[in-house]
């Protein structure tokens, strides 16, 4: 068996490779893919095969996927280009005769109104239309989205536009472990998994940070347009600020709350909680 993992130079892709190794998959059966193979030297030193793969370069994808039985397709990060990139990945996977494509998507991708969901939905459709066997891992928000902001929260409070909306966020490592479980397990073909951890509101995030830090951290809820202004004023690029505010808007409408316990079932334990993550970060 050969498992190819795209985006292995990124946080999630690398964690998936590590999770596969931890599960006992021989390094010689794992192919770590990325645009900059120099950044994969440590994995190569562990015996993992390293190949260059660029979503915008179909020739590189065909070479990268050659001989792969399973493809872990970690979604790209370049908003606006991901549909065309997905077409390249799917075409190369089909040409390579891949037996299974596992794709990292977004919660409720088939119905979500989030800006970020549009390209994920199109990618899921591209994969299903290809006839390739698939698994869709609809990952919720990462807890790591919030942890770098803890010092700012402690100084200025938490700002957002999510109202009482709940985020079923989980640790990136837990999402990676779920992917490894699917890649090494049976009975997952053509399944869709909605993945998320214990839900929380942004007010609850502020309250938990207050409890653990001993400082008074408030949550200020803003209209989405005003939240965009705050983010831009803090140095966030306009387009990214609009995506973040739209995520909060979707959360307020329940689009980032995951009802199912697919993540816990796949990894065989309760996912890391917000309280756990804050405790580790402080």
């Amino acid at each position: 068996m050969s498992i190819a993992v795209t985006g292995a130079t990124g946080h999630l892709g690398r964690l998936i490779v590590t999770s596969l190794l931890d599960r006992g998959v021989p390094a010689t059966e794992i192919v770590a893919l990325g645009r900059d193979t120099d950044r994969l030297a440590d994995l190569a030193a562990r015996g993992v095969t390293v190949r260059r793969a660029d979503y915008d370069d179909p020739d590189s994808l065909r070479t990268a996927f050659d001989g792969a039985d399973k493809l872990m397709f970690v979604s790209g990060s370049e908003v606006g280009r991901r549909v065309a990139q997905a077409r390249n990945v799917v075409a190369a996977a089909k040409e390579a005769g891949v037996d299974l494509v596992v794709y990292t998507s977004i919660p409720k991708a088939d119905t979500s109104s989030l800006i970020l969901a549009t390209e994920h939905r199109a990618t899921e459709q591209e994969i299903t239309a290809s006839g390739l066997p698939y698994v869709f891992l609809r990952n919720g928000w990462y807890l790591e989205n919030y942890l770098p902001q803890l010092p700012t929260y402690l100084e200025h409070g938490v700002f957002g536009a999510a109202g009482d909306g709940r985020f079923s966020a989980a640790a990136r490592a837990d999402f990676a472990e779920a992917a490894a479980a699917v890649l090494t397990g049976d009975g997952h073909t053509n399944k869709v998994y909605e993945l998320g951890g214990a839900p929380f509101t942004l007010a609850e995030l502020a309250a938990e940070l207050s409890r653990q830090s001993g400082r008074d951290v408030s949550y200020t809820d803003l209209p989405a347009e005003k939240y965009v202004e705050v983010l831009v004023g803090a140095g966030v690029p306009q387009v990214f600020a609009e995506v973040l505010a739209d995520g909060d808007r979707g959360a307020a409408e329940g689009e980032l709350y995951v009802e199912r316990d697919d993540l816990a079932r796949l990894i065989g334990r309760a996912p890391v909680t917000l309280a756990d993550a804050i405790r580790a970060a402080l």
Side-chain angles (χ1 to χ4, degrees), residues 141-272:
W141 260 211
Y142 298 141
L143 288 173
E144 288 85 354
N145 291 351
Y146 303 99
L147 301 182
Q149 311 306 318
L150 295 187
T152 301
Y153 296 158
L154 287 169
E155 184 174 355
H156 302 291
V158 179
F159 287 78
D164 294 326
R166 291 184 288 176
F167 295 81
S168 296
R172 192 180 277 114
D174 283 348
F175 288 127
E177 190 174 337
V182 166
L183 289 163
T184 58
D186 298 318
H188 302 293
T189 301
N190 294 348
K191 297 287 184 63
V192 177
Y193 294 111
E194 300 281 351
L195 304 181
F200 57 86
T201 66
L202 293 182
E204 289 169 340
L205 186 161
E208 181 61 31
L209 183 55
S210 295
R211 186 184 71 81
Q212 293 200 35
S213 68
R215 298 171 62 176
D216 185 20
V217 180
S218 62
Y219 170 57
T220 302
D221 194 58
L222 301 169
E225 300 80 7
K226 182 63 178 177
Y227 185 39
V228 171
E229 292 178 13
V230 169
L231 290 170
V232 171
V236 178
Q238 178 77 26
V239 173
F240 188 43
E242 291 172 357
V243 168
L244 292 175
D246 183 68
D248 274 18
R249 188 273 312 163
E253 297 175 11
E255 296 190 339
L256 290 173
Y257 171 63
V258 176
E259 298 89 347
R260 287 156 49 176
D261 62 351
D262 290 349
L263 180 57
R265 289 192 298 104
L266 286 174
I267 66 178
R269 58 172 174 78
V272 169

Side-chain angles (χ1 to χ4, degrees), residues 25 62 143 206 264 272 282:
V25 177
R62 283 190 286 270
L143 288 173
V272 169
L282 287 179

Side-chain angles (χ1 to χ4, degrees), residues 1-271:
M1 179 179 68
S2 176
I3 302 173
V5 181
T6 72
T9 54
H11 294 298
L12 181 60
R14 176 173 288 274
L15 284 170
I16 292 171
V17 172
T18 301
S19 293
L20 290 170
L21 292 168
D22 290 344
R23 283 178 170 265
V25 177
T28 54
E29 295 181 3
I30 302 171
V31 184
L33 308 175
R35 282 185 289 195
D36 182 0
T37 55
D38 288 343
R39 294 170 59 192
L40 300 172
D42 60 317
L43 294 177
R46 297 180 66 179
V48 173
T49 299
V50 169
R51 294 177 184 167
R52 179 181 174 275
D54 184 337
Y55 293 151
D56 293 311
D57 181 354
D59 288 337
S60 77
L61 297 175
R62 283 190 286 270
T63 300
F65 300 166
D66 184 45
D69 300 303
K70 298 179 180 180
L71 174 64
M72 181 68 242
F73 178 12
V74 177
S75 57
S77 59
E78 297 167 289
V79 177
R81 299 174 60 183
R82 291 189 288 192
V83 176
Q85 291 174 341
R87 291 194 188 101
N88 292 339
V89 170
V90 170
K94 194 161 187 178
E95 184 175 328
V98 169
D99 294 325
L100 182 70
V101 176
V102 180
Y103 175 66
T104 58
S105 191
I106 197 171
K108 308 173 186 177
D110 51 341
T111 60
S112 175
S113 68
L114 291 182
I115 291 171
L116 288 177
T118 303
E119 290 179 308
H120 286 294
R121 181 163 50 248
T123 298
E124 288 189 5
Q125 292 169 347
E126 190 76 26
I127 293 170
T128 54
S130 73
L132 288 165
Y134 64 85
V135 181
F136 296 148
L137 302 177
R138 291 177 172 171
N139 293 348
W141 260 211
Y142 298 141
L143 288 173
E144 288 85 354
N145 291 351
Y146 303 99
L147 301 182
Q149 311 306 318
L150 295 187
T152 301
Y153 296 158
L154 287 169
E155 184 174 355
H156 302 291
V158 179
F159 287 78
D164 294 326
R166 291 184 288 176
F167 295 81
S168 296
R172 192 180 277 114
D174 283 348
F175 288 127
E177 190 174 337
V182 166
L183 289 163
T184 58
D186 298 318
H188 302 293
T189 301
N190 294 348
K191 297 287 184 63
V192 177
Y193 294 111
E194 300 281 351
L195 304 181
F200 57 86
T201 66
L202 293 182
E204 289 169 340
L205 186 161
E208 181 61 31
L209 183 55
S210 295
R211 186 184 71 81
Q212 293 200 35
S213 68
R215 298 171 62 176
D216 185 20
V217 180
S218 62
Y219 170 57
T220 302
D221 194 58
L222 301 169
E225 300 80 7
K226 182 63 178 177
Y227 185 39
V228 171
E229 292 178 13
V230 169
L231 290 170
V232 171
V236 178
Q238 178 77 26
V239 173
F240 188 43
E242 291 172 357
V243 168
L244 292 175
D246 183 68
D248 274 18
R249 188 273 312 163
E253 297 175 11
E255 296 190 339
L256 290 173
Y257 171 63
V258 176
E259 298 89 347
R260 287 156 49 176
D261 62 351
D262 290 349
L263 180 57
R265 289 192 298 104
L266 286 174
I267 66 178
R269 58 172 174 78

